[in-house]
Amino acid sequence: MTQTPARDLRCAAGHLRNARAALRGQADPGGEFDFLNSDILDVEAILLYQAGGESEPIPAEGRTPAESVALAAALLEAHVQSVPLAAWSGLRLIQQRVQ
Amino acid sequence: MAATIGDLIADLHHDSAHLGSPGRGAVQAQTHLVAWRHLAHATATVLDNLCIPLEEPAARVGEAITAQLSEIADASRGYRAQPAEALLGLSVRVGAIADLLATVPPPTTPQDIASAQGVQSSVLACIHAAARHTLPVLAGKPAGGALRQLADDTRVFALAPPGQYASRYFDLAAIDARDASVDGAVCAWENAARDVLQGRHLVTAVVFQTVAADLAVVTAAAAAITERIAAAHPDLVAASLAQDAVASLTTARDRWRDASIWPDGLRYRGVKSTDLQTASARMRATLQGEFRRDGRWMTDQELQQGSSPHHNLAVLRRSIAAAEKVGKHHLAGFTQAAFGQDRLWIKARLLTSLEQTSPNTWQVAGRDGFLRYAWETHRARPLLEITQDASVALTAAANIFNLTAATPPPRLAAGVSACPWEAVTTRLPLHQDAAQRSLHTPTRPADGWKIG
């Protein structure tokens, strides 16, 4: 359900946090985790600066990183005008890397 | 690329080895005396900035030589002349070394003391060459005697080839944060992270996580690249040392990874600041460009297309040194958040009923469903412990990683004999680590130093 832009941005940040936590538990032979973790944090920071407050706690429910990132993107799609462009460009790159 | 102390010393040795004929006559004597005023001042500043503990023999050597330098400088007062160019060139480099050393805290560990001695010996070897160069000009002049004494007392440092002296301080560089290198990017990130973590109103929950994630990136890079370099260049880093360094860096990386993912429902608010995000992104991009390719760390062959293994290791040692400082700022900031101010909050609905009803645990503030942090039952407690572990692990890793600087790089390869320098042996007191000191400290005569 779509809510206020600020709350959805915080929820999107919560999904991104879940994506990072899920990535932490995965095998990482190429050493990609640390860079991806920081890149996702970048997007979280942009969203939270925009929305104010902290990311909403979202139950992870066993989602994969890709699923969590997709849910975050879906929430943001509902508020395109409220989402800074830097968050979009960061999110698109993250989506490609967590596939 | 920033000049390091090692680079400056290599240049210094090169120039000292190629000092031409000083010429003769009254004018030459004046130009040399005036140049020695600069060189003596710069050298004394190096010895002063090294801050070798007074109980060390090298400190007494330094004090005695400083007194001689002072005497030579005094003898040059009142002369007005263009300083001799060759000596002035040396004094500029020695002065640059002194400036770089000004940022170094006094050595306390045996490794740091040995490193300080390595720099002292390297510089004094050049001073010997400069004094020998000038002696013919000042024969019979008032400063001639002091210069003769200086040449005698510094001779012992010039008996070893430059490559014999090693020091972790050789990595120190004057780094410009605007420089488009890993050094520059890490320097800019260190400055930004320090400013934000020390700025009481700038630090936020995202800042803590971002810095922790960055620290994991830096330590991961150091571990991965050191592993590759050590495997391909056992002459540059001993296998056992590399193994220890990589293991400690990997431990630190894992701890900072843990600290980069906060539990749900914690809030720590501050003023929006984008400086850290910008510097962090730049540092990661630079590290990726320098050390990664196609989503993996580069192989040794790929790394060598950019820079030498020695250069890469030096860059990473500097990066880890910067990271260690940032790690300490992070821990101090988070400790302040946990114990000091009251801006750390927790989402009320995430509390267990026990936590909610526990007496004296929560001061209800009721803003946006968040409650003010209380230490006794708070779920941030493990996070503080993780941060403490991470900071300690990074300091330990930095100390072990620094030991990889003990192997001297090939310097002045042309014209320097590769044969062992058997004249330098140790006759040091038994309580000192002779194996280590023999590398840095010149022979101490059985009847003591002929100085003072």
Side-chain angles (χ1 to χ4, degrees):
Chain A
M1 189 179 77
T2 302
Q3 304 195 39
T4 64
R7 181 171 164 74
D8 274 353
L9 262 59
R10 288 198 297 269
C11 286
H15 282 298
L16 291 175
R17 182 211 159 277
N18 285 349
R20 291 194 292 121
L23 281 166
R24 176 76 175 91
Q26 290 187 348
D28 181 32
E32 187 70 358
F33 168 79
D34 294 306
F35 291 93
L36 201 46
N37 186 31
S38 289
D39 289 345
I40 296 173
L41 259 168
D42 264 354
V43 177
E44 282 181 54
I46 295 166
L47 296 177
L48 293 175
Y49 281 146
Q50 180 67 20
E54 303 304 317
S55 56
E56 290 290 332
I58 308 276
E61 295 175 350
R63 293 188 193 94
T64 65
E67 288 169 345
S68 289
V69 173
L71 284 170
L75 278 173
L76 299 181
E77 291 285 0
H79 305 286
V80 173
Q81 294 302 317
S82 302
V83 180
L85 201 54
W88 281 120
S89 55
L91 196 63
R92 297 302 178 217
L93 290 172
I94 291 164
Q95 279 182 306
Q96 292 167 18
R97 290 159 68 190
V98 297
Q99 292 302 327
Chain B
M1 189 188 301
T4 63
I5 285 186
D7 295 334
L8 289 164
I9 285 178
D11 289 348
L12 202 54
H13 278 277
H14 178 271
D15 292 352
S16 303
H18 294 87
L19 287 169
S21 167
R24 287 183 187 276
V27 174
Q28 290 296 327
Q30 288 190 23
T31 61
H32 276 74
L33 269 177
V34 173
W36 265 101
R37 190 189 306 157
H38 297 284
L39 187 54
H41 175 70
T43 308
T45 310
V46 165
L47 297 176
D48 192 37
N49 287 352
L50 282 170
C51 295
I52 296 174
L54 290 175
E55 62 273 19
E56 294 290 326
R60 292 195 289 278
V61 174
E63 278 183 6
I65 288 176
T66 300
Q68 291 165 8
L69 291 167
S70 175
E71 194 178 331
I72 294 167
D74 285 345
S76 72
R77 289 191 200 289
Y79 288 100
R80 295 278 182 273
Q82 283 288 331
E85 200 171 322
L87 291 183
L88 191 63
L90 297 185
S91 70
V92 168
R93 290 196 165 85
V94 176
I97 292 169
D99 286 346
L100 287 171
L101 288 172
T103 63
V104 178
T108 51
T109 65
Q111 292 82 8
D112 283 344
I113 292 168
S115 289
Q117 289 168 351
V119 173
Q120 176 175 289
S121 302
S122 297
V123 171
L124 292 181
C126 300
I127 295 303
H128 171 77
R132 291 276 299 271
H133 167 78
T134 310
L135 271 174
V137 189
L138 295 185
K141 300 281 189 302
L147 202 65
R148 162 60 64 191
Q149 190 66 46
L150 181 68
D152 288 347
D153 290 343
T154 51
R155 181 174 182 272
V156 70
F157 300 103
L159 290 177
Q164 287 283 350
Y165 293 123
S167 169
R168 65 175 58 170
Y169 295 166
F170 286 167
D171 283 345
L172 288 175
I175 297 166
D176 186 344
R178 294 165 298 183
D179 192 70
S181 62
V182 171
D183 278 327
V186 170
C187 179
W189 165 77
E190 181 192 350
N191 293 341
R194 182 199 58 226
D195 291 348
V196 171
L197 289 168
Q198 289 185 339
R200 184 174 155 197
H201 299 292
L202 293 176
V203 68
T204 65
V206 170
V207 162
F208 281 128
Q209 294 175 79
T210 299
V211 172
D214 288 342
L215 288 164
V217 167
V218 178
T219 47
I225 301 306
T226 303
E227 194 170 28
R228 281 154 181 76
I229 290 176
H233 306 277
D235 54 325
L236 198 58
V237 189
S240 59
L241 186 56
Q243 202 173 1
D244 289 348
V246 170
S248 61
L249 287 165
T250 305
T251 302
R253 180 203 67 188
D254 290 345
R255 298 285 181 278
W256 284 112
R257 280 181 176 180
D258 293 340
S260 74
I261 305 174
W262 275 28
D264 273 334
L266 283 178
R267 166 191 286 182
Y268 196 72
R269 278 186 171 178
V271 178
K272 177 178 175 180
S273 166
T274 56
D275 290 353
L276 175 64
Q277 257 67 33
T278 305
S280 164
R282 179 186 156 203
M283 179 184 73
R284 296 196 311 272
T286 311
L287 284 172
Q288 284 194 302
E290 199 76 18
F291 298 130
R292 286 178 69 80
R293 185 172 291 173
D294 304 329
R296 58 170 175 78
W297 297 107
M298 287 185 191
T299 64
D300 179 66
Q301 277 189 329
E302 290 167 337
L303 288 168
Q304 286 200 58
Q305 289 166 8
S307 303
S308 71
H310 173 258
H311 172 80
N312 283 331
L313 273 180
V315 166
L316 289 168
R317 280 194 295 267
R318 285 194 289 273
S319 301
I320 287 296
E324 186 195 358
K325 290 181 205 162
V326 172
K328 286 177 177 168
H329 291 311
H330 185 287
L331 177 59
F334 191 73
T335 306
Q336 173 74 6
F339 289 108
Q341 301 303 315
D342 58 359
R343 289 187 298 125
L344 187 58
W345 301 70
I346 188 166
K347 196 85 173 169
R349 67 181 170 83
L350 294 179
L351 294 174
T352 64
S353 57
L354 176 65
E355 288 171 332
Q356 287 178 356
T357 56
S358 174
N360 303 320
T361 300
W362 299 101
Q363 297 176 33
V364 178
R367 188 172 60 183
D368 299 334
F370 276 78
L371 297 173
R372 188 159 62 180
Y373 165 86
W375 172 249
E376 292 82 357
T377 60
H378 200 275
R379 66 194 59 209
R381 183 170 193 152
L383 191 58
L384 178 59
E385 288 164 358
I386 287 170
T387 307
Q388 287 167 334
D389 285 350
S391 183
V392 169
L394 183 51
T395 299
N399 286 336
I400 295 173
F401 193 34
N402 263 335
L403 297 177
T404 62
T407 307
R411 292 180 193 283
L412 296 182
V416 173
S417 168
C419 66
W421 189 256
E422 294 179 1
V424 177
T425 56
T426 81
R427 292 185 200 165
L428 294 166
L430 290 175
H431 70 272
Q432 290 174 333
D433 182 349
Q436 183 183 51
R437 297 289 298 275
S438 63
L439 185 65
H440 305 288
T441 312
T443 314
R444 179 183 177 141
D447 56 346
W449 300 102
K450 292 176 182 175
I451 51 177

